[in-house]
Amino acid sequence: MKHLKSRSQDLRSLFENNITIEYVAEPLKAVSAEAEVIQVLQWMQARDFDVVGVELGDTITGYVERASLLKATSGKTCNDYQRVFHPRELIAISTPLMKLLPILQQTPRLFVLDCNQVTGIITCGDLQKAPARMLLFGLVTLLEMNLLRLVRLYYADDTWQKVLKPERLQVAQRLWRESQERNEATDLLDYLQFCDKRELVLNQPELLEQLGLKSKRFGERFLKSAEQLRNRLAHAQNLVSGSSWIELISLAEAMETLLIRCEEIE
């Protein structure tokens, strides 16, 4: 049976050519530059907005932050508190979703440019949306597929069965038998779980070196984090439960790097 390889380049191509930040951005709410600050602050607090655009005519020319309005005095307008968009805060609506992650690692908020007009806003929280989840799930799925490919490559003639813990082998055998009863079974290796593939790959010192993993313990911690992310994605859970957005983005980048190293091993 031929086992096809899916490449990280294919995933990157899919997201670069078809899925842009347009699919995760939110429209930027805006108020008039002449609007009274006290009223705008109350409006923002009622809607839990941290930032809103400031509009002059039909153009959003800047923004105000809720935190900066807390000490505002009566009679002041949004124009008095307006901040001008800095180039580092702007991102084109056509930017591929793949390129968004490292940018968000540097700044927690970006304003979206569409035809030289600011129309939207993106924060780390928008990574909870389906397109970003699809990207992350694609990365971790390709990584798991490549771990299995390396197990096939490095364990000839079912030698992996002697390495895997007996209870884990029994789980795979039970799943395999259940599939046999439904006439769906392929081979036993296909019924290993993520933790099994991790254990088998990390048991090969040569693979640790080729994959750039500092040690077996380091590799175990890293791949456990990847598995936990996979589980949160699969169950539609909060992506940063128990961690942070910076840690999540760093994990995604590290997964892509490891995936590329996996694919280089023949």
Side-chain angles (χ1 to χ4, degrees):
M1 179 179 178
K2 185 178 180 181
H3 295 274
L4 300 176
K5 284 176 61 179
S6 296
R7 302 177 304 147
S8 59
Q9 293 96 319
D10 296 334
L11 181 71
R12 178 175 286 278
S13 176
L14 171 66
F15 278 86
E16 285 191 348
N17 295 328
N18 299 286
I19 303 180
T20 67
I21 64 169
E22 178 181 5
Y23 296 98
V24 296
E26 285 289 326
L28 178 62
K29 302 295 184 183
V31 296
S32 168
E34 300 304 318
E36 191 174 343
V37 165
I38 301 300
Q39 293 179 347
V40 170
L41 176 59
Q42 292 172 349
W43 180 77
M44 292 176 72
Q45 288 172 329
R47 289 159 181 78
D48 197 27
F49 288 160
D50 292 323
V51 61
V52 294
V54 174
E55 204 167 38
L56 191 60
D58 294 328
T59 303
I60 296 177
T61 56
Y63 65 95
V64 291
E65 294 176 304
R66 185 170 71 183
S68 69
L69 303 184
L70 293 174
K71 296 181 180 180
T73 56
S74 181
K76 293 286 187 178
T77 67
C78 286
N79 195 48
D80 298 317
Y81 291 86
Q82 179 180 193
R83 294 186 61 177
V84 178
F85 297 113
H86 191 282
R88 284 198 299 267
E89 297 178 300
L90 300 172
I91 189 168
I93 198 169
S94 59
T95 303
L97 187 57
M98 283 290 286
K99 294 183 178 178
L100 176 65
L101 296 181
I103 300 174
L104 277 179
Q105 200 168 22
Q106 305 301 319
T107 176
R109 177 181 63 213
L110 292 164
F111 296 100
V112 180
L113 270 175
D114 186 2
C115 296
N116 295 324
Q117 297 288 329
V118 173
T119 60
I121 185 170
I122 290 179
T123 67
C124 286
D126 291 311
L127 297 180
Q128 300 277 13
K129 295 177 181 176
R133 285 174 173 269
M134 288 165 56
L135 169 61
L136 294 170
F137 195 75
L139 275 174
V140 74
T141 300
L142 282 179
L143 179 58
E144 185 174 6
M145 290 169 63
N146 269 274
L147 293 180
L148 178 58
R149 186 181 67 84
L150 294 179
V151 170
R152 293 185 189 279
L153 195 62
Y154 273 76
Y155 291 91
D157 302 321
D158 293 331
T159 51
W160 61 271
Q161 295 189 31
K162 298 176 182 177
V163 177
L164 205 61
K165 294 176 182 176
E167 61 269 24
R168 296 303 311 161
L169 178 59
Q170 289 170 11
V171 170
Q173 289 171 332
R174 176 176 56 79
L175 293 172
W176 180 62
R177 284 194 300 270
E178 289 173 359
S179 290
Q180 274 189 317
E181 292 170 3
R182 298 192 300 268
N183 293 319
E184 296 172 355
T186 50
D187 67 78
L188 185 57
L189 270 174
D190 288 318
Y191 296 89
L192 296 181
Q193 304 297 299
F194 194 110
C195 59
D196 304 323
K197 299 163 193 172
R198 176 187 71 225
E199 181 65 27
L200 291 169
V201 167
L202 295 179
N203 195 60
Q204 293 284 349
E206 183 183 340
L207 275 178
L208 280 178
E209 184 176 349
Q210 287 182 279
L211 295 176
L213 298 173
K214 300 172 187 177
S215 65
K216 183 174 181 179
R217 187 175 179 181
F218 172 86
E220 187 172 285
R221 283 200 307 268
F222 170 54
L223 290 174
K224 277 185 177 179
S225 295
E227 183 181 10
Q228 288 165 359
L229 174 59
R230 193 274 310 271
N231 293 340
R232 289 197 295 271
L233 287 161
H235 299 293
Q237 295 172 346
N238 188 322
L239 296 182
V240 288
S241 177
S243 63
S244 69
W245 286 113
I246 290 179
E247 289 173 326
L248 172 67
I249 293 170
S250 296
L251 175 61
E253 291 184 313
M255 285 195 305
E256 187 178 14
T257 298
L258 182 60
L259 180 55
I260 292 170
R261 287 176 179 157
C262 283
E263 293 168 350
E264 290 171 347
I265 300 174
E266 299 289 345

